[in-house]
Amino acid sequence: MNPKPTSQVLAEATAAMVDRHDVTDLLTRLLRDGSSSLGVDAMGLIVQAPDDTLELLVSTSHRVAELEALQVGQDEGPCVECYRSASPVVALGASVIQLRWPVSGEAIVRAGFGAVHAFPLVWHGRALGALNIFTQSDAALDESQREMAQAFTDMSTIVILQTQSIDQRQITESLREALLGRVVIEQAKGALAHLQGVDTATAYELLVTEAVQRATSVTQVAQDVLTRAQRQRTGS
Amino acid sequence: MTNDGLGPDPRHRAAILAALTRGIARDVDRLPLPARLCNAFVDVFGGAGAAITLGYHQPDRLTLCATDPTVARLDGLQEVLGEGPGWDAFTSRRVVTADLRHPTPWEHFSSTARQELGELWVCAAPMRPDDRALGVVMVYDESPEAIGGDPVLAQFLADAVGAALLGHDALLTDDVGPWVVRQQVHQAVGMVVAQLGISPVDAMAVIRAHAYSQDTDVEAIAALVLDRALDFSDAGPTTKDPA
């Protein structure tokens, strides 16, 4: 079995922003810039492949590429744990790292690293992968470094998502629907406020009450109110 | 000028994204994401100020951030007039620039903006995280010479900003600042619907026309309607003396 590597899938995928670009090249350069912005020694990025396994996508050095591949192969390590839990992972000091991940931790320490941080690539609550940050020092990243690391993680997420145009379109669509639904409710509050001579807060309560009574959504009631308001002219 | 060709080369793309990322990471605890995106856009692209407007068409238009009163006015003016580089950028899905020192295709917008704000240079780039336009990033400066004004860079940045916004759940929470202001416009539209028995689209047109005739923006007219100081249901619009 030899599934197409994710990097190739991503590079082939078409999307507005990066269809004409080499995604892995872009991400590699982005991680290099990120490493120097943060003042850390190395970064590696693993992502969920289409068949739900984890795969190394890019790294800033060959040494880190091996460490990431080992984590994926062993199904153990900071990046794997971060992806599974969808929350950040921190391990400081050689003994902590070795104790926590017997195989990959040992390799991380042997490669000369004293601390690892991992940040999840999260998109609407779902983890798509994780960004691993390696430092020779065993110190924790400070607040501003963590914020910067999070921003680079988010930007990596965005670049990767650009290659998944269908998901993306659905999200645009649902965002648009949610925004439009909200607009209709506000308009109905205004219409009711005028028709009933109440303030907009009270108008909203009326909408909610009617939705409960009719066992329907507030958006539906709002739509009905607007339709009624257009038929009956009540001014003056 | 429009651009549909290749983006910046890979080396530059990564550097641009890294610069944008550093800009976004700044002031995390002080500013909401849209404001940080506006600032980061100006950091990387240049310009005196920027605004991000979601969904340029009525009724779901929402200006998420404007970095200063000038760009806020440029945005509000285009909404009232229904014309300008932002509109064209949104509908054509291409970068549209306007140099107000010279004649433009938007006579009302240009003359009003020139008179009120000066001979500015305006660049509107559609945010196209997928194959449709999500909204527009608009940036302005004294002249194009001041910032280079590369449309390829503007488009690349706008797409990245749009993609960043799509991941931002807070767009849909009710306490987002810009939405709090904007929901009053929608409520006012509802009141005008009830006053005149017309559709929301027509009601919005009434409010826009009134804003135009009063030389103000739709938010100001909406506030009057909500205060019941302005009622369109009589023969003509009556404004009770606000004093």
Side-chain angles (χ1 to χ4, degrees), chain B residues 152-179:
Chain B
V152 177
L153 177 58
Q155 186 58 70
F156 183 74
L157 285 171
D159 287 342
V161 165
L165 282 173
L166 278 184
H168 184 45
D169 292 331
L171 279 183
L172 290 172
T173 62
D174 283 346
D175 54 354
V176 176
W179 170 247

Side-chain angles (χ1 to χ4, degrees), chain A residues 15-18 20-23 25-31 33-34 36-37 122-125 143-144 147-156 158-159 161-162 165 168-176 178-180 182-201 204 223 225-227 229-236, chain B residues 4-8 10-22 24-25 27-29 54-62 90 93 128-134 155-156 159-160 162-174 176 179 183-191 193-201 226 228 231-235:
Chain A
M17 187 173 139
V18 279
R20 59 223 176 216
H21 310 153
D22 182 345
V23 177
D25 183 43
L26 181 57
L27 283 171
T28 306
R29 291 172 194 277
L30 187 63
L31 289 204
D33 274 321
S36 63
S37 293
V122 179
W123 183 254
H124 288 260
E143 182 67 25
S144 71
E147 279 167 4
M148 189 77 84
Q150 189 60 59
F152 272 95
T153 308
D154 293 345
M155 190 55 84
S156 305
I158 288 164
V159 170
L161 280 164
Q162 289 303 315
S165 55
Q168 185 101 340
R169 198 171 304 140
Q170 280 166 351
I171 289 163
T172 312
E173 201 53 50
S174 57
L175 176 72
R176 214 62 197 279
L179 288 171
L180 283 168
R182 231 164 46 159
V183 167
V184 168
I185 290 170
E186 293 306 320
Q187 290 175 341
K189 277 158 73 174
L192 266 187
H194 181 79
L195 294 171
Q196 310 274 340
V198 294
D199 63 25
T200 50
Y204 184 64
Q223 195 59 63
V225 164
L226 281 174
T227 308
Q230 285 171 63
R231 282 202 217 104
Q232 64 183 95
R233 190 182 149 181
T234 57
S236 64
Chain B
D4 215 23
L6 300 177
R11 197 176 308 258
H12 283 123
R13 281 200 308 270
I16 292 160
L17 281 185
L20 192 66
T21 309
R22 282 190 293 271
I24 293 167
D27 301 320
V28 166
D29 46 0
L54 219 55
Y56 228 76
H57 287 302
Q58 306 298 347
D60 59 336
R61 178 193 173 100
L62 179 63
F90 188 79
R93 300 173 57 250
R128 317 167 304 184
D130 55 29
D131 52 3
R132 282 164 308 174
L134 175 70
Q155 186 58 70
F156 183 74
D159 287 342
L165 282 173
L166 278 184
H168 184 45
D169 292 331
L171 279 183
L172 290 172
T173 62
D174 283 346
V176 176
W179 170 247
Q183 64 187 8
Q184 296 194 346
V185 174
H186 299 307
Q187 290 166 5
V189 164
M191 292 191 88
V193 166
Q195 287 167 4
L196 299 178
I198 57 178
S199 72
V201 172
L226 283 182
R228 306 185 201 237
D231 192 325
F232 294 97
S233 55
D234 306 319

